[in-house]
Amino acid sequence: MGAVAAPTGPQKTVWKDEAMTTGRSMRAGEAVLGGGLIALGGLIAVETMLTPSVGRAVVGPALFPYLISGGLVLVGLSLLREAFAGAIAHAEGLELDLWAVALVAAGLAVQFLLLDTLGWIPSTTILFAAVARAFGGRRLMVNLAIGLALAAFTFVAFNYGLGLNLPEGSIVERLTSPDAE
C-alpha cells in the first residue's frame, strides 16, 4: 500500500471576501480625516500642556483632555493606515445612511438650540430619541422614557454628585425662582 503524503506547511483557505482591497492606492478622504484627527489630538494635547493647572496630582483636570487627545491620535493613525493600505469594508464601497446622519445632526442642533431655554433634561431627552431613531429604534415613547431617565441621572450626578452645574433652563429657573408669583 502506498503512503499518502501529508501536506507540508500551513494551509490557508482564501475566501473571496478576504481579498477585497482597492490595491495600494491611497484613499484621499480617509487620509484627510485621519490627518485632521491627528492634528486635533495634537492641538488638544498642546493646549492642555499650556493650560495652568492647580496641582500636580496624577489624576487631575488634565487627565481627560490627554485621554481624548490620545484617542483622537490613535483613531487618526488607524484611519491613515487604512487609507494607505487601501482596504475597504464592503465590496460596494462606503455605506452611508444620510437619513441617519441628518437625524443625529438635527438632534444635536435641537439640543444646542434648546439647552438654555428648556435645560439639560428635556433637550438631552430629545437628542436621545433622535439618535435612537437614527439607529433604528421605532418605539418613540420607550426611547423618550429611556432618554429622560438617562438625562435625569446625568443631571443629578453632575449637579449634585460632582458639583458641576448642567443648565436647568430659563423656563425652569423662572418657574422655581422665589420671585415667580
Side-chain angles (χ1 to χ4, degrees), residues 40-70:
L40 181 62
L43 176 69
I44 291 172
V46 168
E47 287 296 321
T48 303
M49 281 189 279
L50 296 177
T51 302
S53 63
V54 177
R56 293 288 175 201
V58 175
V59 177
L63 174 67
F64 287 107
Y66 282 130
L67 288 175
I68 290 169
S69 70

mmCIF file of all heavy atoms in Angstrom, residues 40-70:
data_model
loop_
_atom_site.group_PDB
_atom_site.id
_atom_site.type_symbol
_atom_site.label_atom_id
_atom_site.label_comp_id
_atom_site.label_asym_id
_atom_site.label_seq_id
_atom_site.Cartn_x
_atom_site.Cartn_y
_atom_site.Cartn_z
ATOM 1 N N LEU A 40 -5.985 67.462 15.432
ATOM 2 C CA LEU A 40 -6.868 67.872 16.524
ATOM 3 C C LEU A 40 -6.395 67.285 17.847
ATOM 4 O O LEU A 40 -6.370 67.975 18.870
ATOM 5 C CB LEU A 40 -8.304 67.451 16.232
ATOM 6 C CG LEU A 40 -9.346 67.825 17.281
ATOM 7 C CD1 LEU A 40 -9.438 69.338 17.446
ATOM 8 C CD2 LEU A 40 -10.701 67.249 16.890
ATOM 9 N N GLY A 41 -5.998 66.015 17.842
ATOM 10 C CA GLY A 41 -5.467 65.400 19.055
ATOM 11 C C GLY A 41 -4.205 66.093 19.539
ATOM 12 O O GLY A 41 -4.028 66.325 20.733
ATOM 13 N N GLY A 42 -3.325 66.450 18.613
ATOM 14 C CA GLY A 42 -2.113 67.181 18.982
ATOM 15 C C GLY A 42 -2.422 68.559 19.534
ATOM 16 O O GLY A 42 -1.818 69.002 20.523
ATOM 17 N N LEU A 43 -3.396 69.248 18.926
ATOM 18 C CA LEU A 43 -3.789 70.568 19.407
ATOM 19 C C LEU A 43 -4.353 70.483 20.820
ATOM 20 O O LEU A 43 -4.011 71.304 21.682
ATOM 21 C CB LEU A 43 -4.820 71.188 18.464
ATOM 22 C CG LEU A 43 -5.398 72.532 18.900
ATOM 23 C CD1 LEU A 43 -4.330 73.617 18.829
ATOM 24 C CD2 LEU A 43 -6.592 72.901 18.048
ATOM 25 N N ILE A 44 -5.185 69.500 21.080
ATOM 26 C CA ILE A 44 -5.755 69.339 22.423
ATOM 27 C C ILE A 44 -4.650 69.055 23.437
ATOM 28 O O ILE A 44 -4.643 69.601 24.545
ATOM 29 C CB ILE A 44 -6.831 68.238 22.436
ATOM 30 C CG1 ILE A 44 -8.059 68.705 21.659
ATOM 31 C CG2 ILE A 44 -7.218 67.856 23.863
ATOM 32 C CD1 ILE A 44 -9.102 67.637 21.441
ATOM 33 N N ALA A 45 -3.686 68.214 23.062
ATOM 34 C CA ALA A 45 -2.584 67.901 23.978
ATOM 35 C C ALA A 45 -1.740 69.143 24.267
ATOM 36 O O ALA A 45 -1.375 69.408 25.423
ATOM 37 C CB ALA A 45 -1.714 66.788 23.393
ATOM 38 N N VAL A 46 -1.430 69.926 23.233
ATOM 39 C CA VAL A 46 -0.621 71.134 23.424
ATOM 40 C C VAL A 46 -1.370 72.147 24.277
ATOM 41 O O VAL A 46 -0.804 72.737 25.208
ATOM 42 C CB VAL A 46 -0.220 71.738 22.054
ATOM 43 C CG1 VAL A 46 0.351 73.131 22.205
ATOM 44 C CG2 VAL A 46 0.775 70.828 21.350
ATOM 45 N N GLU A 47 -2.655 72.358 23.994
ATOM 46 C CA GLU A 47 -3.438 73.309 24.778
ATOM 47 C C GLU A 47 -3.568 72.858 26.230
ATOM 48 O O GLU A 47 -3.568 73.682 27.140
ATOM 49 C CB GLU A 47 -4.829 73.501 24.161
ATOM 50 C CG GLU A 47 -4.814 74.317 22.890
ATOM 51 C CD GLU A 47 -4.359 75.744 23.108
ATOM 52 O OE1 GLU A 47 -4.723 76.350 24.134
ATOM 53 O OE2 GLU A 47 -3.628 76.267 22.256
ATOM 54 N N THR A 48 -3.664 71.561 26.444
ATOM 55 C CA THR A 48 -3.739 71.055 27.812
ATOM 56 C C THR A 48 -2.423 71.288 28.535
ATOM 57 O O THR A 48 -2.410 71.645 29.718
ATOM 58 C CB THR A 48 -4.088 69.548 27.804
ATOM 59 O OG1 THR A 48 -5.324 69.380 27.097
ATOM 60 C CG2 THR A 48 -4.247 69.011 29.210
ATOM 61 N N MET A 49 -1.300 71.105 27.827
ATOM 62 C CA MET A 49 0.011 71.365 28.448
ATOM 63 C C MET A 49 0.182 72.835 28.788
ATOM 64 O O MET A 49 0.793 73.173 29.801
ATOM 65 C CB MET A 49 1.141 70.932 27.509
ATOM 66 C CG MET A 49 1.406 69.457 27.507
ATOM 67 S SD MET A 49 2.890 69.030 26.594
ATOM 68 C CE MET A 49 2.274 69.058 24.926
ATOM 69 N N LEU A 50 -0.348 73.723 27.943
ATOM 70 C CA LEU A 50 -0.185 75.160 28.152
ATOM 71 C C LEU A 50 -1.165 75.738 29.170
ATOM 72 O O LEU A 50 -0.972 76.858 29.638
ATOM 73 C CB LEU A 50 -0.348 75.898 26.822
ATOM 74 C CG LEU A 50 0.708 75.582 25.757
ATOM 75 C CD1 LEU A 50 0.390 76.311 24.462
ATOM 76 C CD2 LEU A 50 2.101 75.930 26.256
ATOM 77 N N THR A 51 -2.208 74.991 29.502
ATOM 78 C CA THR A 51 -3.185 75.468 30.472
ATOM 79 C C THR A 51 -2.613 75.324 31.877
ATOM 80 O O THR A 51 -2.170 74.250 32.266
ATOM 81 C CB THR A 51 -4.485 74.660 30.367
ATOM 82 O OG1 THR A 51 -4.983 74.780 29.036
ATOM 83 C CG2 THR A 51 -5.525 75.151 31.351
ATOM 84 N N PRO A 52 -2.597 76.409 32.644
ATOM 85 C CA PRO A 52 -2.075 76.293 34.009
ATOM 86 C C PRO A 52 -2.981 75.399 34.855
ATOM 87 O O PRO A 52 -4.197 75.475 34.768
ATOM 88 C CB PRO A 52 -2.085 77.732 34.524
ATOM 89 C CG PRO A 52 -2.983 78.477 33.627
ATOM 90 C CD PRO A 52 -3.052 77.750 32.331
ATOM 91 N N SER A 53 -2.360 74.544 35.643
ATOM 92 C CA SER A 53 -3.140 73.650 36.498
ATOM 93 C C SER A 53 -2.945 74.027 37.957
ATOM 94 O O SER A 53 -1.950 74.637 38.338
ATOM 95 C CB SER A 53 -2.744 72.194 36.266
ATOM 96 O OG SER A 53 -1.395 71.999 36.624
ATOM 97 N N VAL A 54 -3.899 73.635 38.767
ATOM 98 C CA VAL A 54 -3.890 73.986 40.185
ATOM 99 C C VAL A 54 -2.879 73.141 40.941
ATOM 100 O O VAL A 54 -2.136 73.621 41.771
ATOM 101 C CB VAL A 54 -5.306 73.815 40.776
ATOM 102 C CG1 VAL A 54 -5.303 74.105 42.261
ATOM 103 C CG2 VAL A 54 -6.278 74.703 40.046
ATOM 104 N N GLY A 55 -2.852 71.869 40.657
ATOM 105 C CA GLY A 55 -1.952 70.971 41.375
ATOM 106 C C GLY A 55 -1.237 70.031 40.423
ATOM 107 O O GLY A 55 -1.416 70.080 39.225
ATOM 108 N N ARG A 56 -0.431 69.189 40.978
ATOM 109 C CA ARG A 56 0.317 68.228 40.178
ATOM 110 C C ARG A 56 -0.113 66.797 40.504
ATOM 111 O O ARG A 56 0.693 65.892 40.526
ATOM 112 C CB ARG A 56 1.823 68.375 40.431
ATOM 113 C CG ARG A 56 2.375 69.676 39.940
ATOM 114 C CD ARG A 56 2.405 69.665 38.432
ATOM 115 N NE ARG A 56 2.821 70.960 37.940
ATOM 116 C CZ ARG A 56 2.561 71.372 36.734
ATOM 117 N NH1 ARG A 56 1.891 70.632 35.906
ATOM 118 N NH2 ARG A 56 2.957 72.551 36.344
ATOM 119 N N ALA A 57 -1.385 66.584 40.752
ATOM 120 C CA ALA A 57 -1.887 65.252 41.055
ATOM 121 C C ALA A 57 -1.869 64.402 39.789
ATOM 122 O O ALA A 57 -1.967 64.914 38.664
ATOM 123 C CB ALA A 57 -3.309 65.338 41.596
ATOM 124 N N VAL A 58 -1.740 63.103 39.966
ATOM 125 C CA VAL A 58 -1.725 62.195 38.822
ATOM 126 C C VAL A 58 -3.073 62.231 38.115
ATOM 127 O O VAL A 58 -3.152 62.326 36.899
ATOM 128 C CB VAL A 58 -1.384 60.761 39.287
ATOM 129 C CG1 VAL A 58 -1.490 59.788 38.136
ATOM 130 C CG2 VAL A 58 0.000 60.726 39.891
ATOM 131 N N VAL A 59 -4.148 62.152 38.877
ATOM 132 C CA VAL A 59 -5.482 62.245 38.312
ATOM 133 C C VAL A 59 -6.010 63.636 38.649
ATOM 134 O O VAL A 59 -6.382 63.919 39.774
ATOM 135 C CB VAL A 59 -6.416 61.157 38.889
ATOM 136 C CG1 VAL A 59 -7.815 61.315 38.330
ATOM 137 C CG2 VAL A 59 -5.859 59.785 38.593
ATOM 138 N N GLY A 60 -6.001 64.489 37.656
ATOM 139 C CA GLY A 60 -6.443 65.859 37.856
ATOM 140 C C GLY A 60 -7.261 66.310 36.675
ATOM 141 O O GLY A 60 -7.697 65.508 35.843
ATOM 142 N N PRO A 61 -7.459 67.612 36.548
ATOM 143 C CA PRO A 61 -8.294 68.125 35.469
ATOM 144 C C PRO A 61 -7.695 67.921 34.079
ATOM 145 O O PRO A 61 -8.411 67.987 33.095
ATOM 146 C CB PRO A 61 -8.433 69.614 35.782
ATOM 147 C CG PRO A 61 -7.430 69.920 36.815
ATOM 148 C CD PRO A 61 -7.022 68.652 37.464
ATOM 149 N N ALA A 62 -6.410 67.649 33.970
ATOM 150 C CA ALA A 62 -5.784 67.458 32.659
ATOM 151 C C ALA A 62 -5.877 66.020 32.168
ATOM 152 O O ALA A 62 -5.569 65.750 31.005
ATOM 153 C CB ALA A 62 -4.316 67.886 32.719
ATOM 154 N N LEU A 63 -6.301 65.090 33.006
ATOM 155 C CA LEU A 63 -6.322 63.682 32.612
ATOM 156 C C LEU A 63 -7.235 63.435 31.425
ATOM 157 O O LEU A 63 -6.836 62.819 30.437
ATOM 158 C CB LEU A 63 -6.752 62.806 33.792
ATOM 159 C CG LEU A 63 -6.944 61.319 33.456
ATOM 160 C CD1 LEU A 63 -5.609 60.690 33.098
ATOM 161 C CD2 LEU A 63 -7.605 60.594 34.596
ATOM 162 N N PHE A 64 -8.458 63.915 31.479
ATOM 163 C CA PHE A 64 -9.409 63.621 30.412
ATOM 164 C C PHE A 64 -9.047 64.276 29.086
ATOM 165 O O PHE A 64 -9.177 63.631 28.038
ATOM 166 C CB PHE A 64 -10.829 63.948 30.857
ATOM 167 C CG PHE A 64 -11.342 62.953 31.848
ATOM 168 C CD1 PHE A 64 -11.476 63.303 33.177
ATOM 169 C CD2 PHE A 64 -11.661 61.667 31.468
ATOM 170 C CE1 PHE A 64 -11.923 62.389 34.105
ATOM 171 C CE2 PHE A 64 -12.103 60.740 32.391
ATOM 172 C CZ PHE A 64 -12.242 61.093 33.706
ATOM 173 N N PRO A 65 -8.573 65.525 29.049
ATOM 174 C CA PRO A 65 -8.120 66.051 27.756
ATOM 175 C C PRO A 65 -6.964 65.237 27.158
ATOM 176 O O PRO A 65 -6.913 65.041 25.944
ATOM 177 C CB PRO A 65 -7.684 67.482 28.074
ATOM 178 C CG PRO A 65 -8.469 67.853 29.270
ATOM 179 C CD PRO A 65 -8.628 66.596 30.062
ATOM 180 N N TYR A 66 -6.057 64.752 28.012
ATOM 181 C CA TYR A 66 -4.974 63.908 27.497
ATOM 182 C C TYR A 66 -5.511 62.582 26.969
ATOM 183 O O TYR A 66 -5.061 62.080 25.930
ATOM 184 C CB TYR A 66 -3.907 63.659 28.560
ATOM 185 C CG TYR A 66 -2.964 64.825 28.760
ATOM 186 C CD1 TYR A 66 -2.709 65.315 30.029
ATOM 187 C CD2 TYR A 66 -2.323 65.421 27.686
ATOM 188 C CE1 TYR A 66 -1.853 66.383 30.225
ATOM 189 C CE2 TYR A 66 -1.471 66.490 27.867
ATOM 190 C CZ TYR A 66 -1.237 66.962 29.140
ATOM 191 O OH TYR A 66 -0.385 68.025 29.322
ATOM 192 N N LEU A 67 -6.476 61.991 27.657
ATOM 193 C CA LEU A 67 -7.075 60.739 27.184
ATOM 194 C C LEU A 67 -7.790 60.957 25.852
ATOM 195 O O LEU A 67 -7.685 60.136 24.935
ATOM 196 C CB LEU A 67 -8.042 60.181 28.221
ATOM 197 C CG LEU A 67 -7.433 59.591 29.489
ATOM 198 C CD1 LEU A 67 -8.532 59.185 30.459
ATOM 199 C CD2 LEU A 67 -6.539 58.403 29.160
ATOM 200 N N ILE A 68 -8.517 62.056 25.743
ATOM 201 C CA ILE A 68 -9.234 62.355 24.500
ATOM 202 C C ILE A 68 -8.246 62.602 23.365
ATOM 203 O O ILE A 68 -8.424 62.098 22.254
ATOM 204 C CB ILE A 68 -10.184 63.546 24.706
ATOM 205 C CG1 ILE A 68 -11.339 63.119 25.608
ATOM 206 C CG2 ILE A 68 -10.699 64.085 23.380
ATOM 207 C CD1 ILE A 68 -12.195 64.244 26.099
ATOM 208 N N SER A 69 -7.188 63.356 23.634
ATOM 209 C CA SER A 69 -6.211 63.623 22.571
ATOM 210 C C SER A 69 -5.512 62.334 22.148
ATOM 211 O O SER A 69 -5.281 62.106 20.958
ATOM 212 C CB SER A 69 -5.200 64.686 23.001
ATOM 213 O OG SER A 69 -4.340 64.183 24.006
ATOM 214 N N GLY A 70 -5.203 61.474 23.106
ATOM 215 C CA GLY A 70 -4.593 60.192 22.761
ATOM 216 C C GLY A 70 -5.513 59.326 21.922
ATOM 217 O O GLY A 70 -5.096 58.691 20.951
#
